[in-house]
Amino acid sequence: MTSPSRPASPGPAADAVAVIGAGGIGVAWAVLFSAAGVRVRLYEANATVRSRAIAEVRSKLDELSGAGLLEEDAGEAISRVAVTDTLAEALDGAAFVQECVVEDVDVKLALFAEMDRLADPAAVLASSTSTIMASRFADGLPGRHRCVVVHPGNPPYILRIAEIVPAAFTSDETVAAASALMRRVGITPIVLHQEIEGFAFNRLQGALLREAYCLVRDGVVSPADLDTLVREGLGLRWSVIGPFTTSELNTRGGLRRHAEVLGPIYARIGIERAAENPWTPETVEHVATEIEARLPHAAWEENVRERDRAMIRLSSLLRGFTNPLAPAPAAAPAHDAAADGTERPATAPSGHRDRSAHDGGAEAKAPDVGRVSRVSSVRL
């Protein structure tokens, strides 16, 4: 039933999302959605941050356009973004809500309760949280079935991946709707089979960081050289294939032989590190001092901009690149529209139009969002 706090509406619009929070990740989501042809209502409680949100979105869209990564003029994309003065305005009529506020469970508890009250009952409520499970902030809500974590790589308009992490109470329809929207805007959805703190992305990142801190603490390698080792070695290879495929191709005989030869060594390393906590103030200070001294700008925000510009340039160079080791894409359907008459999902920035080759034709297999029941209006 529609909340009594606002008049009844005909249901969420088929092409509108709400982004709640205009910090770095909120702005990045607004860039991604608007570049993919989706209307965005962006809300930020902090008036100062809110006042500069449009300029931030425009700046990033201009950079993407300059690198040839937009299908249209940046002005067309920015015209689809509106900043609202209230949360209710942002949520009104939105089919999908992406929350992007601070990593604080109490803040999210209060915000999701308010969003559940104000948003259309058919709208999906998603959180960008990096570590907090949905069961910790949505369990007591009347609409908890439509709450889910959608954790993106940062920035999502370059790292075209998002973890979809349902709680035990999240409906299958909500997961299908969130996955379909991600595919529409050029993001490959990775659906986790269960909730786990830190999800998969940050657990992998954390495992590498833990060993990295140990190696620096023990005097094995410097922080700068460690970064170089990953950037020029592991990172370069992982941009083409992941760790399992790396193991398959690094050893004649594949993964089985790799595990036979190196498995015992890695097991010993794991036991050696099991009881250690390398995140001591001294180790962190040592690493931070060296890394900060090597960055080009004194301001953190300027260094983030440099990172994003570098990633945009790299993405531009890789435009149209198809991974030769990726599975062949599924055959495209013979018709141009879904069975219910909706248009085929649009592609996002042009540098990623070959994304279906990277996920085995996920675009062709996207759930028919128009057919889901409890979130049937999310047909973005």
Side-chain angles (χ1 to χ4, degrees):
M1 183 168 60
T2 304
S3 167
S5 64
R6 52 187 190 94
S9 69
D15 64 343
V17 301
V19 175
I20 310 304
I25 196 63
V27 165
W29 274 118
V31 168
L32 174 77
F33 287 134
S34 63
V38 179
R39 290 190 296 120
V40 180
R41 298 193 194 104
L42 181 59
Y43 172 70
E44 165 61 52
N46 184 301
T48 301
V49 175
R50 187 167 67 243
S51 68
R52 60 175 184 251
I54 284 290
E56 292 281 349
V57 175
R58 180 181 289 110
S59 174
K60 295 183 186 302
L61 284 168
D62 283 342
E63 290 183 358
L64 289 170
S65 179
L69 295 175
L70 291 186
E71 298 282 3
E72 61 187 351
D73 182 79
E76 290 294 318
I78 197 67
S79 71
R80 288 189 281 269
V81 182
V83 176
T84 68
D85 292 327
T86 68
L87 176 64
E89 287 178 281
L91 298 177
D92 189 24
F96 187 92
V97 182
Q98 188 72 40
E99 170 269 310
C100 308
V101 301
V102 296
E103 286 288 276
D104 184 308
V105 68
D106 292 329
V107 172
K108 292 184 189 297
L109 273 166
L111 178 57
F112 267 78
E114 190 72 355
M115 293 195 304
D116 191 40
R117 184 177 69 84
L118 292 172
D120 189 282
V124 170
L125 305 182
S127 176
S128 299
T129 177
S130 299
T131 60
I132 305 172
M133 297 175 287
S135 59
R136 295 190 60 198
F137 55 78
D139 186 35
L141 299 180
R144 66 180 189 170
H145 66 275
R146 39 91 168 258
C147 297
V148 66
V149 167
V150 178
H151 170 233
N154 187 20
Y157 52 82
I158 295 296
L159 300 183
R160 316 295 297 193
I161 203 83
E163 296 177 288
I164 297 182
V165 191
F169 50 71
T170 305
S171 71
D172 291 342
E173 293 87 356
T174 295
V175 173
S179 299
L181 174 59
M182 291 302 105
R183 291 190 183 99
R184 172 180 172 176
V185 299
I187 294 286
T188 300
I190 304 298
V191 179
L192 271 58
H193 300 160
Q194 63 185 59
E195 283 192 311
I196 186 170
E197 186 178 18
F199 319 134
F201 192 107
N202 277 316
R203 280 179 169 257
L204 291 170
Q205 187 168 241
L208 179 61
L209 276 172
R210 184 168 182 269
E211 182 62 27
Y213 273 119
C214 282
L215 292 170
V216 170
R217 179 204 61 193
D218 295 344
V220 175
V221 66
S222 72
D225 284 347
L226 192 290
D227 266 5
T228 300
L229 188 67
V230 174
R231 177 180 182 269
E232 304 289 348
L234 294 173
L236 188 60
R237 184 164 61 197
W238 286 344
S239 69
V240 178
I241 55 177
F244 287 140
T245 308
T246 293
S247 299
E248 170 71 18
L249 301 181
N250 267 5
T251 307
R252 188 172 296 277
L255 272 161
R256 296 172 184 83
R257 179 59 178 162
H258 181 273
E260 180 183 342
V261 174
L262 293 178
I265 297 172
Y266 288 153
R268 287 198 300 273
I269 293 172
I271 293 170
E272 173 189 331
R273 299 299 196 199
E276 293 188 89
N277 176 21
W279 297 72
T280 63
E282 296 78 14
T283 304
V284 172
E285 181 62 28
H286 171 49
V287 172
T289 299
E290 181 169 331
I291 296 303
E292 288 166 356
R294 297 174 61 86
L295 293 172
H297 304 290
W300 179 85
E301 291 82 3
E302 283 301 313
N303 289 314
V304 170
R305 289 190 180 94
E306 290 289 357
R307 177 203 66 184
D308 290 352
R309 288 170 187 147
M311 295 176 75
I312 288 171
R313 290 196 300 271
L314 179 61
S315 188
S316 178
L317 292 171
L318 294 175
R319 181 181 181 183
F321 170 79
T322 299
N323 187 341
L325 294 175
H335 49 80
D336 291 329
D340 63 353
T342 57
E343 293 182 357
R344 184 185 303 281
T347 53
S350 60
H352 305 281
R353 59 179 64 163
D354 288 329
R355 173 58 59 182
S356 60
H358 291 260
D359 61 13
E363 195 78 31
K365 299 176 185 176
D368 184 348
V369 191
R371 297 177 184 271
V372 303
S373 57
R374 303 179 77 176
V375 284
S376 59
S377 299
V378 187
R379 297 170 57 185
L380 298 169

